[in-house]
Amino acid sequence: MVHLTSIPSDDVAQAPLIEGMEKINIGQPEEDEASTAIYGSRYASEELPVHEMPEKEMPKEIAYRLIKDDLSLDGNPMLNLASFVTTYMEEEVEKLMAEALPKNFIDYEEYPQTAEIQNRCVSMIARLFNAPTQSSEDTGMGVSTVGSSEAIMLGVLAMKRRWQNKQKSEGKDYSKPNLIMNSACQVCWEKACRYFEVEERYVYCTEDRYVIDPEEAVNMVDENTIGICAIIGTTYTGQYEDVKAINDLLLKKNIDCSIHVDAASGGFVAPFVLPELAWDFRLEKVVSINVSGHKYGLVYPGVGWVVWRSPEFLPKELVFNINYLGADQASFTLNFSKGASQVIGQYYQMIRLGKRGYRSIMLNLTKTADYLAKCLEQLGFIIMSQGAGQGLPLVAFRLDPAKGQHYDEFALAHHLRERGWVVPAYTMAPHSEQLKLMRVVVREDFSRSRCDTLVKDFKLACQTLDNMDKSSLQRHMKHVKHHTAIHKTRHNHPRYKDEKHSLQGRHGKTHAIC
């Protein structure tokens, strides 16, 4: 997901760094193009271009170093415990991915083996999700995407068009489709409904339930429902929703309604840690599944997958048959050109690790998450996530209100940030938004040693905040909020503030980072 960038006006772009102070001209050093060091060149004493492309070029070494220096102000990805996105891959696969950077994945004629590698990945993932493979005519199909957001968009389009076709064939109105989902869904579900004109119907969380209620979800189904979204690994607490209960209720009540499983985070975890859990194509009503390769699929950002049970659930009119650069292609995607590196990275991981390798990694992550949960529980936190592999390898937790601390989870998150850790604080989904929580995502490179360091910093942060008086803490929080707000608001155009069509606009929902 990429933020919408506002283009600065001329007066903003030309304003001095400090208001009321003209830009200082300190003069130019004498230039020796052959021997001048990077920080002895004129470029080191000039502003980096920000708003307009410069007229002249600069040496490649200087461009590299100045941009690298600029990026050094970013956080350390390994200390970012907010995100599910992969931050470690082996050198061999990094080399493969770098070699594939010039390849346009869509050019099947020029790069047929790269296309074949996608086919292999789709087949492996579909079988991992127990897709039917008995009949050559009714076997499922799938496609790579740039992430689960695009995969979900494609899944929603397929469900909507299939429902429309059914309504048309029965002579019924097909102008008011709706989709049922948990209010703790990821924002891409809201976007899919908004973009494709589908009414969102939410099963709201409660103070003690953070997943979809199967009975309530099924009771909301009517003839305009295109499907139910069930999540394997919610972003807030990592819980697996009861897909089987929804499936069984639909069958029991003889309701013709499809299930799309959002397995963005859990699709590469549940099959290895909890293989007996029925959530995938083993269930009759599950027609499509998305998964993020760049989360627990262990690939750097930029790859997702969506698989359909059979051609019946992907209407033919959504698939474009095109001849591009000399090759006939069947295409169902929201974009066209894209790099091949991430697909190749996914294939490497699946054949390099195999099922045993994935299982070993996911079990280690589960053990580390359980260990962290026990440590935080000993420090007095209330654990909100499930352990022992019953959910994603993460720990969601909150302060115990009975202890009466004069600080909240947001103050603790800001204090940990001073040590370099990104441990986010959130308010829960609508109807339970009075609950605040924090979340640590345990990724592949989060070792037991690093976990111990985090626990020590948690303990130190709590002691520091306990020793601060209330007024000092309030002044500190006011300073922190003002400082961080400067960076956040620069991305936003005033026209798009205060919208009321999203869950955040209507309820103040804060979205958990994916």
Side-chain angles (χ1 to χ4, degrees):
M1 183 171 65
V2 181
H3 64 261
L4 189 65
T5 300
S6 174
I7 300 172
S9 60
D10 289 342
D11 58 337
V12 172
Q14 296 167 10
L17 181 63
I18 300 175
E19 188 175 350
M21 178 179 172
E22 297 297 327
K23 294 184 180 180
I24 300 176
N25 184 357
I26 61 175
Q28 300 296 335
E30 294 183 10
E31 194 68 44
D32 182 349
E33 294 292 345
S35 61
T36 300
I38 289 173
Y39 298 111
S41 70
R42 65 181 176 85
Y43 301 100
S45 62
E46 294 177 348
E47 288 182 300
L48 266 177
V50 176
H51 302 296
E52 190 167 336
M53 186 185 300
E55 291 294 333
K56 297 181 179 180
E57 66 275 21
M58 69 170 64
K60 59 186 179 182
E61 298 86 355
I62 293 178
Y64 170 80
R65 173 50 61 180
L66 294 181
I67 295 173
K68 183 179 176 68
D69 288 351
D70 211 25
L71 291 173
S72 68
L73 298 174
D74 277 343
N76 183 342
M78 291 193 297
L79 300 183
N80 178 9
L81 305 182
S83 176
F84 289 93
V85 172
T86 296
T87 53
Y88 165 79
M89 295 183 79
E90 294 172 333
E91 289 183 8
E92 289 77 9
V93 66
E94 288 181 339
K95 184 178 179 182
L96 272 176
M97 293 170 73
E99 290 168 353
L101 284 173
K103 293 184 179 181
N104 184 2
F105 178 77
I106 203 67
D107 186 356
Y108 297 165
E109 175 70 14
E110 187 69 22
Y111 309 117
Q113 204 58 30
T114 299
E116 170 61 20
I117 284 176
Q118 181 203 240
N119 297 343
R120 296 174 189 176
C121 290
V122 168
S123 180
M124 291 178 184
I125 292 169
R127 282 172 165 78
L128 185 65
F129 296 163
N130 295 289
T133 55
Q134 293 78 15
S135 168
S136 59
E137 293 184 358
D138 291 328
T139 54
M141 71 287 298
V143 67
S144 66
T145 62
V146 294
S148 274
S149 291
E150 183 188 3
I152 286 167
M153 300 280 180
L154 298 179
V156 170
L157 276 173
M159 287 191 293
K160 179 183 177 182
R161 184 55 60 91
R162 183 170 179 267
W163 169 83
Q164 286 177 326
N165 291 344
K166 178 176 177 290
Q167 292 291 98
K168 289 177 184 179
S169 67
E170 296 174 357
K172 297 179 180 178
D173 178 65
Y174 55 91
S175 63
K176 298 178 181 179
N178 67 69
L179 180 64
I180 297 167
M181 67 194 87
N182 181 3
S183 63
C185 64
Q186 213 273 342
V187 68
C188 60
W189 283 97
E190 292 184 64
K191 292 168 72 175
C193 290
R194 176 69 48 175
Y195 295 166
F196 303 138
E197 298 183 318
V198 176
E199 177 196 352
E200 311 109 300
R201 289 194 176 178
Y202 293 110
V203 177
Y204 287 99
C205 297
T206 66
E207 291 186 1
D208 56 4
R209 175 181 56 76
Y210 316 122
V211 293
I212 199 168
D213 178 81
E215 188 80 39
E216 186 177 348
V218 172
N219 288 341
M220 293 173 72
V221 174
D222 60 25
E223 67 174 5
N224 292 324
T225 301
I226 66 173
I228 299 174
C229 160
I231 306 171
I232 293 298
T234 63
T235 55
Y236 286 97
T237 59
Q239 293 171 271
Y240 298 149
E241 297 190 324
D242 196 342
V243 188
K244 187 176 187 303
I246 298 173
N247 177 84
D248 292 350
L249 282 169
L250 291 172
L251 291 174
K252 180 181 178 181
K253 298 184 177 184
N254 195 29
I255 297 175
D256 182 15
C257 180
S258 301
I259 300 173
H260 175 99
V261 178
D262 180 359
S265 300
F268 279 105
V269 179
F272 303 111
V273 178
L274 208 60
E276 69 278 7
L277 180 67
W279 62 271
D280 51 21
F281 291 119
R282 286 171 287 182
L283 303 177
E284 180 181 334
K285 290 295 185 178
V286 173
V287 303
S288 51
I289 301 172
N290 69 273
V291 65
S292 292
H294 57 226
K295 293 181 181 176
Y296 289 112
L298 307 181
V299 183
Y300 287 143
V303 64
W305 305 89
V306 58
V307 181
W308 286 271
R309 184 184 199 92
S310 75
E312 174 188 351
F313 302 102
L314 178 54
K316 188 175 181 179
E317 61 266 33
L318 291 177
V319 178
F320 284 79
N321 291 300
I322 53 177
N323 187 290
Y324 180 68
L325 298 179
D328 290 324
Q329 306 171 24
S331 174
F332 182 39
T333 176
L334 295 182
N335 69 310
F336 204 65
S337 294
K338 68 176 181 180
S341 299
Q342 268 62 24
V343 171
I344 292 170
Q346 184 74 81
Y347 184 60
Y348 174 95
Q349 293 290 54
M350 290 197 288
I351 68 168
R352 159 76 175 91
L353 296 171
K355 292 180 180 178
R356 186 173 71 173
Y358 268 95
R359 186 177 298 111
S360 297
I361 290 171
M362 299 309 157
L363 288 174
N364 271 349
L365 299 186
T366 300
K367 291 175 186 175
T368 303
D370 288 348
Y371 170 74
L372 177 60
K374 289 293 184 184
C375 291
L376 292 173
E377 197 170 32
Q378 287 296 313
L379 290 176
F381 291 95
I382 296 174
I383 306 302
M384 300 173 67
S385 50
Q386 293 179 302
Q390 298 302 305
L392 295 177
L394 62 78
V395 184
F397 54 99
R398 61 190 176 97
L399 294 167
D400 186 349
K403 294 183 179 296
Q405 283 107 332
H406 56 275
Y407 55 89
D408 64 4
E409 289 80 359
F410 290 90
L412 184 55
H414 287 307
H415 205 77
L416 287 168
R417 190 66 178 261
E418 295 175 3
R419 291 280 293 163
W421 299 105
V422 181
V423 181
Y426 303 107
T427 53
M428 264 301 286
H431 291 204
S432 57
E433 63 266 26
Q434 68 273 20
L435 284 176
K436 299 175 184 177
L437 73 154
M438 301 178 74
R439 187 194 69 190
V440 171
V441 176
V442 178
R443 296 191 306 271
E444 183 183 7
D445 58 350
F446 188 72
S447 63
R448 169 68 178 270
S449 174
R450 191 175 299 161
C451 181
D452 285 338
T453 303
L454 175 66
V455 171
K456 292 175 185 176
D457 284 340
F458 256 108
K459 187 175 180 180
L460 179 62
C462 290
Q463 290 173 347
T464 302
L465 291 171
D466 284 334
N467 292 332
M468 289 179 71
D469 62 81
K470 195 170 183 179
S471 59
S472 297
L473 179 63
Q474 287 175 343
R475 287 195 300 271
H476 175 68
M477 287 301 297
K478 184 177 180 180
H479 165 75
V480 169
K481 288 179 180 178
H482 173 72
H483 176 71
T484 56
I486 293 173
H487 300 285
K488 293 179 181 177
T489 54
R490 287 181 64 183
H491 303 310
N492 300 334
H493 193 287
R495 180 183 178 88
Y496 302 111
K497 293 180 179 179
D498 302 321
E499 51 83 8
K500 298 298 180 185
H501 55 260
S502 69
L503 283 175
Q504 179 171 320
R506 295 198 303 271
H507 299 279
K509 172 183 179 180
T510 56
H511 287 278
I513 297 172
C514 289

